[in-house]
């Protein structure tokens, strides 16, 4: 296989629910003018880039007081500055969801800064793509502990702040939870596990006015797969052409990748007060991927 073929094959192995490459003619995204989160405190994990960063910007644009975390402090501060420059309210707090004390401090600091907790978007996630027997125990544990255990920790410390007045929790799963492929054992196990976690938590806290739902995105244009596939050094224009071609034949239905803003906007929909009967659900936004599967 030629080098270009290897690149396409490697990226293809990361498709479906993991962020992926450049889009093929994505529509212009216009944020809503609604103020559904005015005066609300919103927590987001994994928000220094990609879907999480886009969600932080959109929640703030709708009046939310946004506290968000991630490991990369330079990126976190940049997102914070962008939101404030646009007139929104946001605070970056460095935290690694692998570390329980970091998660507890993040939630407690956010609540102390803004008062109470109304919405949590638990979005932090990683992937390691290998055949099952090729995973080291450390590889497998890192994926499961980031994606599944990290979300458990976030919810463990978020829920007590919501028990008095209710709230909404949205968790980022993946279309791999519904239809997956080779090389995604750890990622798929973690993302399918998140659906079960969401369903159980929804039943645990329904009587307390806390709604819990899973966001199930398909292939999304962020930097995660570019980094995971080792394509940081490929020129942007070459990468974008390659990904356009890949998406046209490998993303059923719409034939393109989602933008981070499109997925983030759906997270806001799930978190909004517009659907008070919605809990314990897994809501798919994948451009038709799992309809084909």
């Amino acid at each position: 296989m030629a080098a270009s073929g290897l690149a396409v094959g490697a990226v293809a192995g990361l498709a479906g629910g993991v962020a992926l490459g450049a889009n093929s003619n994505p529509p212009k995204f216009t944020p809503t003018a609604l103020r559904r989160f005015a005066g609300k405190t919103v927590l987001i994990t994994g928000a220094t880039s990609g879907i999480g960063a886009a969600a932080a910007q959109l929640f703030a644009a709708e009046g939310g007081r946004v506290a968000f975390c991630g490991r990369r402090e330079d990126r976190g501060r940049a997102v914070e500055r962008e939101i404030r420059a646009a007139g929104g309210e946001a605070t970056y707090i460095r935290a690694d969801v692998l570390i329980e004390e970091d998660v507890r401090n993040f939630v407690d600091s956010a609540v102390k800064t803004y008062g109470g907790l109304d919405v949590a978007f638990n979005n932090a996630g990683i992937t390691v793509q290998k055949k099952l027997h090729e995973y080291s125990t450390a590889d497998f544990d890192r994926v499961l502990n980031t994606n599944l255990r990290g979300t458990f920790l976030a919810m463990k410390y978020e829920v007590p702040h919501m028990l008095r007045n209710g709230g909404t929790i949205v968790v980022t799963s993946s279309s791999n939870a519904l239809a997956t492929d080779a090389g995604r054992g750890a990622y798929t196990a973690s993302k399918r596990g998140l659906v079960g976690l969401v369903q159980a938590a929804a039943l645990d806290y329904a009587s307390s006015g806390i709604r819990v739902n899973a966001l199930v995105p398909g292939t999304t244009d962020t930097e995660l797969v570019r980094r995971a596939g080792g394509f940081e050094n490929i020129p942007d224009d070459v990468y974008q052409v390659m990904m356009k071609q890949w998406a046209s034949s490998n993303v059923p239905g719409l034939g393109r990748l989602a933008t981070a803003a499109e997925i983030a906007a759906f997270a806001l929909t799930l978190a909004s007060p517009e659907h008070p009967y919605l809990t314990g659900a897994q809501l798919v936004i994948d451009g038709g991927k799992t309809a084909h599967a």
Side-chain angles (χ1 to χ4, degrees), residues 168-180:
T168 303
I169 297 173
V170 179
V171 171
T172 302
S173 179
S174 166
S175 58
N176 279 285
L178 306 179
T180 192

Side-chain angles (χ1 to χ4, degrees), residues 148-191:
L148 184 56
R149 182 177 179 271
T151 298
F152 153 72
L153 289 175
M155 292 172 66
K156 174 178 173 62
Y157 293 109
E158 292 158 356
V159 164
H161 294 288
M162 294 182 172
L163 286 174
R164 177 175 297 180
N165 297 313
T168 303
I169 297 173
V170 179
V171 171
T172 302
S173 179
S174 166
S175 58
N176 279 285
L178 306 179
T180 192
D181 207 342
R184 305 176 198 165
Y187 185 78
T188 297
S190 69
K191 292 299 187 175

